[in-house]
């Protein structure tokens, strides 16, 4: 019974087969098969981190973790890591993270999928700048990944000293890129 409850919660992935047949990649994408330090490419938010997260009126029968949520500021109050959750499967990019959010207006929502939670600094940058203004920084997504975050949000690559370095957040990529530019 306990194992069945954990399966229903999404704590275990019941389909571990992965033949790679649906994977594709290009020069701007990395597949789940590339295990060279992919785990750091998703932000691992902690309790207390300021975020902008999707919110759904679940009392009004809105379905949570769908793309029609409205986004509001708040703080992370809990973090859970899963192998499988809401159609997203853990991959070499790391576990699926599910957050409990306490929104600044007082609302609370449990179980918000990582793809619907954005670090506040990244949200501020993404809403006040255009990607063409990110000098030396670009967004990379793995469209073939089983991990929804890596497929839809991705990570950021900054060219620093002629080398490409990957970062989980836009803020960190731009910060490191700017620090290098100032030093040169």
């Amino acid at each position: 019974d306990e194992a069945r409850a954990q399966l229903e919660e999404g704590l275990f992935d019941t389909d571990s087969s992965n033949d790679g047949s649906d994977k594709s990649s290009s020069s701007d994408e990395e597949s789940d098969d590339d295990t060279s330090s992919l785990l750091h490419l998703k932000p691992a938010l902690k309790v207390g981190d300021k975020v902008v997260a999707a919110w759904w009126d679940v009392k009004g029968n809105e379905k949570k973790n769908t793309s029609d949520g409205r986004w509001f500021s708040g703080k992370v109050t809990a973090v859970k890591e899963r192998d499988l959750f809401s159609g997203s499967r853990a991959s070499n990019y790391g576990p699926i993270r599910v957050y409990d959010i306490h929104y600044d207006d007082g609302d609370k929502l449990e179980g918000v999928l990582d793809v619907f939670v954005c670090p506040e600094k990244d949200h501020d940058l993404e809403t006040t700048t255009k990607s063409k203004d990110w000098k030396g920084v670009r967004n990379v997504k793995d469209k073939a990944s089983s991990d929804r975050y890596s497929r839809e949000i991705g990570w950021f690559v900054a060219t620093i000293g002629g080398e490409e370095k990957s970062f989980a957040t836009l803020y960190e990529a731009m910060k490191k890129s700017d620090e290098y530019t100032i030093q040169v």
Side-chain angles (χ1 to χ4, degrees), residues 25-93:
S25 64
S26 72
S27 61
D28 285 350
E29 299 172 343
E30 299 197 29
S31 73
D32 289 347
D33 293 332
D34 179 7
T35 59
S36 59
S37 192
L38 296 176
L39 288 176
H40 76 284
L41 296 180
K42 287 173 55 175
L45 301 171
K46 302 179 300 301
V47 170
D49 282 352
K50 291 182 176 187
V51 297
V52 176
W55 177 86
W56 300 267
D57 183 7
V58 292
K59 292 178 184 172
N61 294 323
E62 287 184 358
K63 188 173 179 187
K64 187 170 47 169
N65 292 319
T66 60
S67 59
D68 61 349
R70 292 172 304 282
W71 292 72
F72 299 100
S73 296
K75 285 188 179 180
V76 174
T77 58
V79 182
K80 298 171 189 83
E81 293 186 344
R82 305 280 174 88
D83 288 331
L84 181 67
F85 187 83
S86 190
S88 190
R89 181 189 319 258
S91 68
N92 291 335
Y93 296 105

Side-chain angles (χ1 to χ4, degrees), residues 97-121:
R97 292 186 181 92
V98 182
Y99 297 98
D100 293 355
I101 306 295
H102 183 203
Y103 297 90
D104 291 349
D105 67 0
D107 282 341
K108 297 177 183 177
L109 196 57
E110 296 178 356
V112 180
L113 186 60
D114 55 10
V115 74
F116 296 108
V117 181
C118 183
E120 184 180 67
K121 289 178 180 179

